[in-house]
């Protein structure tokens, strides 16, 4: 103990010297050990005084003396401590702080029972999970499901569910796992639906969101009007009550031409398509795909189907200059005419055709008369030759007779 105090004194007498890390730790250790011994002595002295009251009074006097002496020593120690603290602050600022090393926590050893439970726990959890799923599949809850259809205007919920192939006996797990196949069935079996998507909501609710094809026109048949969708598909005949106020009528027999027409309409402005009232074939001998478009404003447009999306947009500019119902011909180039002009032209053409037919018939009759005259002349010539030959025959016979008589 005396040696440790001497070392402490030597270290305190040299505050200006540089202290090493080991010296600092040693000083702290010595101070801590000294405080512990002092505390131990106090406890022992306290126990002794409690046993001997006379010694307590004597001890009080000694404590007073020790207190005075300790105060003096404390004053000196405080001065030294201030000097050493200032010195230690300078040293610590110069040297890097050591990193705290975390001591690894000691693992508690498990009992054999805990180890067995730990190894068996995954198996038990798996068995419980399989049992719960089996019980659920056997119960009616596994087949109970709530399905709603959103986004349909013409397609009803019953039609969509029927097209999907979903039945009441299907597990709702199958709906979650096979959603894509059910949506494919809807698109395949219901021609009115363009897009279908199913979403799942816990615990057993499903929502089918659909998008329908728009009706762009109606085809007039003997039974009524058939709606024509954007993809060119025809639906069943609808009643006159279901028809809108203004609609486009397509009178084409070829399904291929109808699909081509719908594609051309999709490239045009909707406002331009809405001006068309009836689409029919022009029955042109020169252009096989020539169409007759009857507009709502009373005009008529003739345009080839193959050039519809290119030429029809010019109609908006042309109609501004029309003063009466006209025919806009876009078969070869673009020009306007009227039904009166065309009827007059047709009459003149018919008249010219009749005159040409009359001339042809007159020429044919002239040719026939000429042929008759030539045939008559030929016949008369043949008769004369026949008479001449007969006369010569008689003359020969007479000469023969006379010679015989002689």
């Amino acid at each position: 103990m005396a040696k440790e105090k001497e070392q402490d004194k030597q270290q305190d007498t040299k505050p200006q010297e540089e202290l090493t890390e080991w010296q600092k730790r040693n000083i702290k250790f010595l101070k801590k050990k000294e405080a512990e011994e002092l505390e131990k002595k106090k406890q022992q002295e306290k126990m002794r005084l409690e046993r001997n009251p006379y010694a307590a009074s004597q001890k009080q006097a000694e404590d007073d003396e020790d207190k005075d002496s300790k105060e003096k020593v404390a004053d000196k120690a405080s001065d030294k401590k201030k000097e050493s603290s200032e010195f230690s602050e300078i040293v610590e600022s110069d040297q890097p702080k050591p990193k705290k090393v975390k001591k690894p926590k000691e693992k508690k050893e498990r009992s054999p029972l805990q180890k067995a439970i730990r190894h068996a726990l995954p198996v038990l959890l798996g068995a419980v999970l399989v049992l719960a799923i089996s019980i659920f599949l056997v119960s009616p809850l596994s087949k109970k499901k709530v399905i709603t259809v959103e986004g349909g205007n013409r397609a009803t919920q019953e039609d969509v569910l029927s097209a999907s192939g979903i039945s009441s006996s299907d597990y709702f797990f199958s709906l979650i796992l096979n959603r894509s196949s059910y949506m494919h069935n809807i698109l395949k079996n219901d021609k009115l639906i363009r897009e279908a998507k199913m979403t799942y909501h816990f615990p057993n609710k499903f929502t089918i969101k659909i998008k329908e094809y728009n009706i762009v026109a109606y085809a007039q048949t003997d039974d009524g009007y058939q709606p024509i969708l954007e993809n060119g598909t025809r639906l069943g005949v609808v009643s006159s009550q279901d028809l809108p106020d203004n609609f486009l009528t397509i009178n084409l027999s070829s399904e291929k031409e109808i699909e081509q027409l719908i594609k051309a309409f999709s490239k045009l402005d909707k406002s331009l398509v809405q001006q068309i009232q009836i689409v029919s074939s022009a029955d042109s001998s020169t252009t096989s795909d020539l169409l007759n478009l009857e507009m709502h404003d009373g005009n008529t447009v003739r345009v080839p189907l193959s050039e519809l999306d290119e030429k029809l947009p010019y109609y908006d500019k042309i109609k501004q200059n029309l003063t009466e119902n006209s025919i806009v011909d876009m078969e070869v180039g673009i020009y306007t005419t009227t039904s009166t002009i065309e009827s007059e032209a047709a009459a003149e053409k018919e008249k010219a055709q009749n005159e040409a037919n009359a001339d042809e018939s007159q020429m044919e009759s002239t040719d026939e008369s000429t042929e008759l005259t030539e045939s008559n002349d030929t016949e008369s010539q043949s008769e004369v030759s026949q008479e001449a030959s007969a006369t010569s025959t008689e003359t020969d016979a007479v000469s023969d007779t006379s010679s015989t008589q002689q």
Side-chain angles (χ1 to χ4, degrees):
M1 184 70 185
K3 290 181 180 181
E4 293 176 355
K5 288 183 179 180
E6 287 177 2
Q7 290 177 2
D8 191 7
K9 287 180 181 179
Q10 289 176 2
Q11 291 173 359
D12 291 340
T13 54
K14 297 178 182 180
Q16 301 298 330
E17 294 179 1
E18 185 178 357
L19 298 176
T20 63
E21 290 293 328
W22 181 86
Q23 289 175 340
K24 292 178 183 179
R25 289 196 298 270
N26 189 25
I27 291 169
K28 290 181 181 179
F29 174 76
L30 293 174
K31 289 181 179 180
K32 184 178 180 182
K33 191 172 182 181
E34 185 179 355
E36 289 177 354
E37 289 179 355
L38 185 62
E39 184 67 24
K40 187 176 181 180
K41 286 180 180 180
K42 285 182 180 180
Q43 289 180 358
Q44 291 176 356
E45 188 68 22
K46 186 177 180 181
M47 292 174 66
R48 187 178 67 80
L49 292 174
E50 287 177 354
R51 294 176 183 176
N52 191 358
Y54 174 75
S57 60
Q58 189 177 358
K59 180 66 178 174
Q60 183 68 29
E62 290 177 358
D63 289 340
D64 292 337
E65 292 178 359
D66 291 339
K67 188 176 182 182
D68 294 336
S69 61
K70 284 180 180 180
E71 286 178 357
K72 293 179 182 179
V73 173
D75 293 337
K76 293 179 181 180
S78 62
D79 294 338
K80 291 181 180 180
K81 190 174 182 180
K82 287 180 181 179
E83 293 177 358
S84 63
S85 62
E86 291 176 357
F87 179 73
S88 63
E89 286 177 359
I90 295 170
V91 173
E92 287 178 358
S93 62
D94 294 338
Q95 295 181 356
K97 294 182 179 180
K99 294 182 179 180
K100 293 182 180 180
V101 180
K102 293 183 178 180
K103 295 181 179 180
K105 294 182 180 180
E106 295 181 357
K107 294 183 179 179
K108 295 182 179 180
E109 292 185 359
R110 294 185 175 88
S111 63
L113 179 61
Q114 290 176 342
K115 291 180 180 179
I117 292 172
R118 184 182 179 186
H119 289 298
L121 188 61
V123 179
L124 293 174
L125 290 176
V128 171
L129 182 62
V130 171
L131 180 62
I133 293 173
S134 301
I135 294 172
F136 178 76
L137 291 175
V138 173
S139 67
L141 294 175
S142 61
K143 297 180 181 180
K144 188 177 180 181
K145 47 194 174 291
V146 180
I147 304 174
T148 55
V149 179
E150 297 179 356
N153 295 325
R154 293 178 296 275
T156 62
Q157 181 165 334
E158 291 76 11
D159 295 338
V160 174
L161 294 179
S162 177
S164 66
I166 299 172
S167 62
S168 58
S169 61
D170 292 339
Y171 294 103
F172 76 84
F173 283 121
S174 65
L175 269 69
I176 298 174
L177 299 175
N178 301 319
R179 280 184 285 185
S180 59
S181 62
Y182 288 119
M183 297 303 99
H184 178 72
N185 292 338
I186 292 174
L187 299 178
K188 180 180 178 182
N189 299 326
D190 198 332
K191 297 179 181 179
L192 187 62
I193 298 174
R194 178 179 62 185
E195 183 179 345
K197 184 179 180 182
M198 179 188 288
T199 54
Y200 167 69
H201 306 282
F202 185 82
N204 60 347
K205 294 183 180 180
F206 297 88
T207 303
I208 300 176
K209 295 182 179 180
I210 61 173
K211 291 182 180 180
E212 299 175 343
Y213 284 109
N214 295 324
I215 296 175
V216 296
Y218 290 83
Q220 188 174 5
T221 62
D222 297 336
D223 299 330
Y225 287 90
Q226 287 181 316
I228 301 176
L229 304 178
E230 291 175 326
N231 58 351
T233 304
R234 292 193 187 191
L235 301 179
V237 177
V238 297
S239 61
S240 58
Q241 297 177 355
D242 297 332
L243 293 174
D245 295 334
N246 294 321
F247 60 91
L248 172 62
T249 304
I250 298 177
N251 295 329
L252 297 176
S253 58
S254 175
E255 296 292 338
K256 186 177 180 181
E257 289 183 350
I258 292 175
E259 292 181 5
Q260 189 177 355
L261 179 64
I262 298 301
K263 289 180 181 179
F265 281 162
S266 64
K267 299 177 182 178
L268 297 173
D269 189 21
K270 290 184 178 180
S271 61
L272 180 59
V273 177
Q274 290 174 356
Q275 299 180 40
I276 305 171
Q277 185 176 9
I278 301 173
V279 179
S280 58
S281 177
D283 296 330
S284 175
S285 59
T286 57
T287 306
S288 59
D289 63 343
L290 187 65
L291 300 178
N292 235 1
L293 309 182
E294 298 181 19
M295 315 301 285
H296 283 287
D297 55 10
N299 296 323
T300 302
V301 180
R302 293 173 186 159
V303 59
L305 177 58
S306 58
E307 301 176 359
L308 181 66
D309 55 339
E310 298 176 3
K311 292 186 175 181
L312 192 60
Y314 292 104
Y315 175 73
D316 284 335
K317 297 179 180 179
I318 295 171
K319 71 176 184 179
Q320 298 176 1
N321 300 323
L322 301 177
T323 57
E324 59 179 338
N325 294 339
S326 304
I327 299 172
V328 181
D329 197 323
M330 299 181 179
E331 182 178 4
V332 180
I334 299 175
Y335 67 93
T336 59
T337 182
T338 60
S339 57
T340 305
I341 296 173
E342 285 199 342
S343 61
E344 291 177 356
E348 291 179 358
K349 186 177 180 180
E350 186 178 0
K351 183 179 179 181
Q353 186 69 27
N354 292 333
E355 291 178 356
N357 293 335
D359 292 339
E360 288 180 0
S361 61
Q362 186 176 359
M363 290 176 65
E364 289 176 358
S365 61
T366 304
D367 293 338
E368 289 177 358
S369 61
T370 304
E371 290 177 358
L372 289 173
T373 304
E374 291 177 353
S375 61
N376 292 331
D377 293 339
T378 305
E379 290 177 358
S380 60
Q381 289 177 0
S382 62
E383 289 177 357
V384 170
S385 60
Q386 288 177 0
E387 290 177 356
S389 60
T391 305
S392 61
T393 303
E394 291 177 357
T395 306
D396 292 336
V398 171
S399 61
D400 292 337
T401 304
S402 60
S403 61
T404 303
Q405 290 174 359
Q406 290 177 0

